[in-house]
Amino acid sequence: MNDELDLAKKIKQKREYVLRKVEPQIKRQMKAIPNRFRDDVEQEVRIKLFQSIDKIKFENIPTIFEFIVNNQKRRK
């Protein structure tokens, strides 16, 4: 039960972090949408964003050096 709660907290934190980073861009892009559709489109963008975030696995992300080494191995 505690693991599930921790996972839910991590997911919420990831969502909040990404949303804070892209919120200014979302607001800028919404200016191009007619006012009557703006709220709906903005909500759909957030939903799609959250769905994408949930698919990302942030564990076991290689460091830049690990990435370079692994990439070089694949090229050989």
Side-chain angles (χ1 to χ4, degrees):
M1 179 77 174
N2 199 18
D3 290 338
E4 293 174 9
L5 190 59
D6 289 341
L7 181 60
K9 285 181 183 180
K10 285 181 183 180
I11 291 171
K12 183 179 178 187
Q13 289 171 343
K14 285 191 286 186
R15 286 178 174 179
E16 290 172 351
Y17 173 79
V18 173
L19 189 59
R20 275 194 313 269
K21 293 293 184 182
V22 299
E23 187 70 27
Q25 184 66 22
I26 292 172
K27 292 292 186 189
R28 258 192 310 276
Q29 296 302 322
M30 288 302 116
K31 292 177 183 176
I33 306 293
N35 285 337
R36 64 179 182 216
F37 301 121
R38 196 171 287 169
D39 289 339
D40 292 336
V41 172
E42 195 169 338
Q43 183 176 3
E44 283 296 317
V45 167
R46 284 194 178 94
I47 290 170
K48 294 295 182 186
L49 182 65
F50 289 160
Q51 289 171 344
S52 298
I53 292 168
D54 292 346
K55 290 180 185 178
I56 297 172
K57 293 184 179 178
F58 289 93
E59 297 82 26
N60 301 324
I61 297 175
T63 66
I64 187 67
F65 300 111
E66 293 171 338
F67 177 78
I68 292 170
V69 169
N70 289 337
N71 197 25
Q72 289 173 346
K73 288 179 182 177
R74 280 186 265 178
R75 289 185 180 184
K76 292 180 182 180

